[in-house]
Amino acid sequence: MSDSLNELIEEFAQLPGIGRKSAQRLAMYILKLPREEVMKIAQALINVKEKMKYCSKCWNFSETDPCPICSSPRRDKTIICVVEEPSDILAIERTNEYRGLYHVLGGSLSPLEGIGPDDLKVNELLSRIKSDVQEIILALSADIEGEATTIYLSRLLKPLGIRVTRIARGIPIGGDLEFADEATLVRALEARVPI
Amino acid sequence: MSDSLNELIEEFAQLPGIGRKSAQRLAMYILKLPREEVMKIAQALINVKEKMKYCSKCWNFSETDPCPICSSPRRDKTIICVVEEPSDILAIERTNEYRGLYHVLGGSLSPLEGIGPDDLKVNELLSRIKSDVQEIILALSADIEGEATTIYLSRLLKPLGIRVTRIARGIPIGGDLEFADEATLVRALEARVPI
């Protein structure tokens, strides 16, 4: 096959979750798209890289600094939800339930991988805690590193007199009790609520 | 979230086989890629659209006319394999078994969708049949339209004194007899070979 088609297949195949066959199907789809459509996709790729910076307050990706969430007058500035990655913010924003601010750590503590508090935006989080912040919600991963980071941050934040909470662990909605792992089941029992 | 990120997510979500969540994950991946890498992907998209044309012999996509396969001295010019789409050529080329030429019909006959012989590259196929073509392999889809096209083409080609064959239908390698559909099983029995 020809070079530019192969190059595009190679580029697609390097993206996460896209195998060789999907890459070929995508490349064939691109070939058949109108020229303007392909240009739009290419421009969208370039735009993201040219325009997106970090917000210097919450460390989310943003075209503006501060980001739309940090600068919105409609967000509750007394609550900060701490997450590992910008993609976690997308997931929480999809729920349309949370109206507070965010703080992106940029990962979680991992002694094995040599990631300590100085590699995360921990100091940046501490410096955001002024008189108007009343609660910090820790929404970190349910793995060992996420747990360790949750414990580390709660020990750091509690002496400052702020309410520190974490998101609930439990049986997912629609999840079958039979197939829940033991650790989740223990957490779900511990966190039982009166009905 | 910011505009250029949302735009990229929208573009990704329009591609076949990529849902909303995959589109978000891909966009986040692009955000973290080095600038040069993103430019390479964007350029690959543009290149495919700018450089790829049709081969005027086999109607496959190609940067050159005739395409590398049609112009290769190492391909067997006595056999033409007729397929519906350029992606079928990719699939057959992956096997590294076929050394003949191809012909892309651009679809299959479908009275319901108003696709007749004049909408496909049928005349172009007929005009390729010169003294050196000895066999036409029909490698069309195993659906009703593909079958109808196979029958139509074989009736058209056989009077010209050319050997016309079709690819075998049967139980796929690794396929379980128990789960094979009846039509496939009938074909597999009909096409049984001595061992």
Coordinates of all heavy atoms in Angstrom, one line a residue, chain A residues 139-187:
Chain A
A139 N -11.1 12.9 45.8 CA -11.7 12.0 44.8 C -10.6 11.3 44.0 O -10.4 11.5 42.8 CB -12.6 12.7 43.9
L140 N -9.8 10.5 44.8 CA -8.6 9.8 44.1 C -9.0 8.4 43.8 O -10.0 7.8 44.2 CB -7.4 9.9 45.1 CG -7.1 11.3 45.5 CD1 -6.0 11.4 46.5 CD2 -6.8 12.2 44.3
S141 N -8.1 7.7 43.0 CA -8.3 6.4 42.6 C -8.5 5.4 43.7 O -8.0 5.6 44.8 CB -7.1 5.9 41.7 OG -7.0 6.6 40.6
A142 N -9.2 4.3 43.5 CA -9.4 3.3 44.5 C -8.3 2.2 44.5 O -8.5 1.1 45.0 CB -10.8 2.6 44.3
D143 N -7.1 2.6 44.1 CA -6.0 1.7 44.1 C -5.1 2.0 45.3 O -5.4 3.0 46.1 CB -5.2 1.7 42.8 CG -4.8 3.1 42.4 OD1 -4.8 4.0 43.3 OD2 -4.4 3.2 41.2
I144 N -4.0 1.3 45.5 CA -3.1 1.5 46.7 C -2.6 2.9 46.7 O -2.6 3.5 47.7 CB -2.0 0.4 46.7 CG1 -2.6 -1.0 46.8 CG2 -1.0 0.7 47.8 CD1 -1.6 -2.1 46.6
E145 N -2.1 3.3 45.5 CA -1.5 4.7 45.5 C -2.5 5.8 45.8 O -2.2 6.7 46.5 CB -0.9 4.9 44.1 CG 0.4 4.2 43.7 CD 0.0 2.7 43.3 OE1 -1.1 2.4 43.1 OE2 1.0 1.9 43.2
G146 N -3.7 5.6 45.3 CA -4.8 6.5 45.5 C -5.1 6.6 47.0 O -5.3 7.7 47.6
E147 N -5.2 5.4 47.6 CA -5.5 5.3 49.1 C -4.4 6.0 49.9 O -4.7 6.7 50.8 CB -5.6 3.8 49.5 CG -6.9 3.1 49.0 CD -8.1 3.7 49.6 OE1 -8.2 3.8 50.8 OE2 -9.0 4.1 48.8
A148 N -3.2 5.7 49.5 CA -2.0 6.3 50.3 C -2.0 7.8 50.2 O -1.8 8.5 51.1 CB -0.7 5.7 49.7
T149 N -2.4 8.3 49.0 CA -2.4 9.7 48.7 C -3.6 10.3 49.5 O -3.4 11.4 50.1 CB -2.6 10.0 47.2 OG1 -1.6 9.2 46.5 CG2 -2.3 11.5 47.0
T150 N -4.7 9.6 49.6 CA -5.8 10.1 50.4 C -5.5 10.3 51.8 O -5.7 11.3 52.5 CB -7.0 9.1 50.2 OG1 -7.4 9.1 48.8 CG2 -8.2 9.6 51.1
I151 N -4.8 9.2 52.4 CA -4.4 9.3 53.8 C -3.4 10.4 54.0 O -3.5 11.2 55.0 CB -3.8 7.9 54.2 CG1 -5.0 6.8 54.2 CG2 -3.2 7.9 55.6 CD1 -4.5 5.4 54.2
Y152 N -2.4 10.5 53.1 CA -1.4 11.5 53.3 C -2.0 12.9 53.3 O -1.7 13.7 54.2 CB -0.4 11.4 52.1 CG 0.7 12.5 52.1 CD1 1.8 12.5 52.8 CD2 0.5 13.6 51.2 CE1 2.7 13.5 52.8 CE2 1.4 14.6 51.2 CZ 2.5 14.6 52.0 OH 3.4 15.6 51.9
L153 N -2.9 13.2 52.3 CA -3.5 14.5 52.2 C -4.4 14.8 53.4 O -4.4 15.9 53.9 CB -4.2 14.7 50.9 CG -3.4 14.8 49.6 CD1 -4.3 14.9 48.4 CD2 -2.5 16.0 49.7
S154 N -5.1 13.8 53.9 CA -6.0 14.0 55.0 C -5.3 14.4 56.3 O -5.7 15.3 57.0 CB -7.0 12.8 55.2 OG -6.2 11.8 55.7
R155 N -4.1 13.7 56.5 CA -3.3 14.1 57.6 C -2.7 15.5 57.5 O -2.5 16.1 58.5 CB -2.1 13.0 57.8 CG -2.6 11.7 58.3 CD -1.5 10.8 58.5 NE -2.0 9.5 58.9 CZ -1.3 8.3 58.8 NH1 -0.1 8.3 58.2 NH2 -1.8 7.2 59.2
L156 N -2.4 15.9 56.3 CA -1.8 17.2 56.0 C -2.9 18.3 56.2 O -2.6 19.4 56.7 CB -1.3 17.2 54.6 CG -0.1 18.1 54.2 CD1 1.1 17.7 55.0 CD2 0.1 18.1 52.7
L157 N -4.1 18.0 55.8 CA -5.1 19.0 55.7 C -5.9 19.2 57.0 O -6.3 20.3 57.4 CB -6.1 18.7 54.6 CG -5.5 18.8 53.2 CD1 -6.4 18.2 52.1 CD2 -5.1 20.3 52.8
K158 N -6.2 18.1 57.7 CA -7.0 18.1 58.9 C -6.5 19.1 60.0 O -7.3 19.9 60.5 CB -7.2 16.7 59.5 CG -8.4 16.0 58.9 CD -8.6 14.7 59.6 CE -9.7 13.9 58.9 NZ -9.7 12.5 59.4
P159 N -5.2 19.2 60.3 CA -4.7 20.1 61.3 C -5.0 21.6 60.9 O -4.9 22.4 61.8 CB -3.2 19.8 61.3 CG -3.0 18.5 60.8 CD -4.1 18.3 59.8
L160 N -5.3 21.8 59.6 CA -5.5 23.2 59.2 C -7.0 23.6 59.5 O -7.4 24.7 59.2 CB -5.3 23.4 57.7 CG -3.8 23.0 57.2 CD1 -3.7 23.1 55.7 CD2 -2.8 23.9 57.9
G161 N -7.7 22.7 60.1 CA -9.1 23.0 60.5 C -10.1 23.0 59.4 O -11.1 23.7 59.5
I162 N -9.8 22.3 58.3 CA -10.7 22.2 57.2 C -11.4 20.8 57.2 O -10.8 19.8 57.6 CB -10.0 22.3 55.9 CG1 -9.2 23.6 55.8 CG2 -10.9 22.2 54.7 CD1 -8.0 23.5 54.9
R163 N -12.7 20.8 56.8 CA -13.4 19.6 56.7 C -12.8 18.8 55.5 O -12.7 19.3 54.4 CB -14.9 19.9 56.4 CG -15.7 18.6 56.5 CD -17.2 18.9 56.4 NE -17.9 17.7 56.5 CZ -18.9 17.4 55.6 NH1 -19.3 18.2 54.7 NH2 -19.5 16.2 55.7
V164 N -12.3 17.6 55.7 CA -11.7 16.7 54.7 C -12.6 15.5 54.5 O -12.9 14.8 55.4 CB -10.3 16.3 55.0 CG1 -9.7 15.5 53.9 CG2 -9.4 17.5 55.3
T165 N -13.1 15.3 53.3 CA -14.0 14.1 53.0 C -13.4 13.4 51.8 O -12.5 13.8 51.2 CB -15.4 14.6 52.6 OG1 -15.4 15.4 51.5 CG2 -16.1 15.3 53.8
R166 N -13.9 12.2 51.6 CA -13.5 11.4 50.5 C -14.7 10.8 49.8 O -15.8 10.7 50.4 CB -12.6 10.2 50.9 CG -13.3 9.3 51.8 CD -12.3 8.2 52.4 NE -11.8 7.5 51.3 CZ -10.7 6.6 51.4 NH1 -10.1 6.5 52.6 NH2 -10.3 6.0 50.4
I167 N -14.7 10.6 48.5 CA -15.8 10.0 47.8 C -16.1 8.6 48.3 O -15.2 7.9 48.7 CB -15.7 10.0 46.3 CG1 -14.4 9.3 45.8 CG2 -15.8 11.4 45.7 CD1 -14.4 9.0 44.4
A168 N -17.4 8.2 48.3 CA -17.7 6.9 48.9 C -17.3 5.7 48.0 O -17.2 5.8 46.8 CB -19.2 6.8 49.1
R169 N -16.8 4.7 48.7 CA -16.6 3.4 48.0 C -17.8 2.5 48.2 O -18.4 2.6 49.3 CB -15.3 2.7 48.5 CG -14.1 3.6 48.6 CD -13.6 3.9 47.2 NE -12.3 4.7 47.3 CZ -11.9 5.5 46.3 NH1 -12.7 5.7 45.3 NH2 -10.8 6.1 46.4
G170 N -18.2 1.7 47.3 CA -19.3 0.8 47.5 C -19.7 0.0 46.3 O -18.9 0.1 45.3
I171 N -20.8 -0.6 46.3 CA -21.3 -1.4 45.2 C -21.7 -0.4 44.1 O -22.6 0.5 44.4 CB -22.5 -2.3 45.6 CG1 -22.2 -3.1 46.8 CG2 -22.9 -3.2 44.4 CD1 -21.1 -4.1 46.7
P172 N -21.2 -0.5 42.9 CA -21.6 0.4 41.8 C -23.1 0.2 41.5 O -23.6 -0.9 41.7 CB -20.8 0.1 40.6 CG -20.1 -1.2 40.9 CD -20.2 -1.4 42.4
I173 N -23.8 1.3 41.1 CA -25.2 1.3 40.7 C -25.3 0.2 39.6 O -24.6 0.2 38.6 CB -25.7 2.6 40.2 CG1 -25.4 3.7 41.2 CG2 -27.2 2.6 39.8 CD1 -26.1 3.6 42.5
G174 N -26.3 -0.7 39.8 CA -26.5 -1.7 38.8 C -25.5 -2.9 39.0 O -25.6 -3.9 38.3
G175 N -24.6 -2.8 40.0 CA -23.6 -3.8 40.2 C -24.3 -5.0 41.0 O -25.1 -4.8 41.8
D176 N -23.8 -6.2 40.7 CA -24.4 -7.4 41.4 C -23.6 -7.7 42.6 O -22.3 -7.8 42.5 CB -24.3 -8.5 40.4 CG -25.3 -9.6 40.8 OD1 -25.4 -9.9 42.0 OD2 -25.9 -10.2 39.9
L177 N -24.2 -7.8 43.8 CA -23.6 -8.1 45.0 C -22.7 -9.4 44.9 O -21.5 -9.4 45.4 CB -24.6 -8.4 46.1 CG -24.2 -7.9 47.5 CD1 -24.1 -6.4 47.6 CD2 -25.1 -8.5 48.6
E178 N -23.2 -10.3 44.2 CA -22.5 -11.6 44.0 C -21.1 -11.5 43.4 O -20.2 -12.2 43.7 CB -23.4 -12.5 43.1 CG -22.9 -13.9 43.0 CD -23.8 -14.7 42.0 OE1 -24.8 -14.1 41.5 OE2 -23.6 -15.8 41.8
F179 N -21.0 -10.5 42.5 CA -19.7 -10.3 41.8 C -18.8 -9.2 42.4 O -17.8 -8.9 41.8 CB -20.0 -10.1 40.3 CG -20.8 -11.2 39.7 CD1 -22.0 -10.9 39.1 CD2 -20.3 -12.5 39.7 CE1 -22.8 -11.9 38.5 CE2 -21.1 -13.5 39.1 CZ -22.3 -13.2 38.6
A180 N -19.3 -8.6 43.5 CA -18.5 -7.5 44.1 C -17.3 -8.1 44.7 O -17.4 -9.2 45.4 CB -19.3 -6.7 45.1
D181 N -16.1 -7.5 44.6 CA -14.9 -8.0 45.3 C -15.0 -7.8 46.8 O -15.8 -6.9 47.2 CB -13.6 -7.4 44.7 CG -13.6 -5.9 45.0 OD1 -14.4 -5.2 44.4 OD2 -12.7 -5.5 45.8
E182 N -14.3 -8.5 47.6 CA -14.4 -8.4 49.0 C -14.1 -7.1 49.6 O -14.8 -6.6 50.5 CB -13.5 -9.5 49.7 CG -14.0 -10.9 49.5 CD -12.9 -11.9 49.6 OE1 -12.1 -11.8 50.5 OE2 -13.0 -12.9 48.9
A183 N -13.0 -6.4 49.1 CA -12.7 -5.1 49.6 C -13.8 -4.1 49.5 O -14.1 -3.4 50.4 CB -11.4 -4.6 49.0
T184 N -14.4 -4.2 48.3 CA -15.5 -3.2 48.0 C -16.7 -3.6 48.9 O -17.3 -2.6 49.5 CB -16.0 -3.4 46.5 OG1 -14.9 -3.1 45.7 CG2 -17.1 -2.4 46.2
L185 N -17.0 -4.8 49.1 CA -18.1 -5.3 50.0 C -17.9 -4.8 51.4 O -18.8 -4.3 52.1 CB -18.2 -6.8 49.9 CG -19.6 -7.4 50.0 CD1 -20.6 -6.6 49.1 CD2 -19.6 -8.8 49.6
V186 N -16.6 -5.0 51.9 CA -16.3 -4.5 53.3 C -16.6 -3.0 53.4 O -17.2 -2.6 54.4 CB -14.8 -4.8 53.6 CG1 -14.4 -4.1 54.9 CG2 -14.6 -6.3 53.8
R187 N -16.1 -2.2 52.4 CA -16.3 -0.8 52.4 C -17.8 -0.5 52.4 O -18.3 0.5 53.1 CB -15.6 -0.1 51.2 CG -14.2 0.0 51.3 CD -13.8 0.8 52.5 NE -12.4 1.1 52.5 CZ -11.8 2.0 51.8 NH1 -12.5 2.8 51.1 NH2 -10.5 2.2 51.8

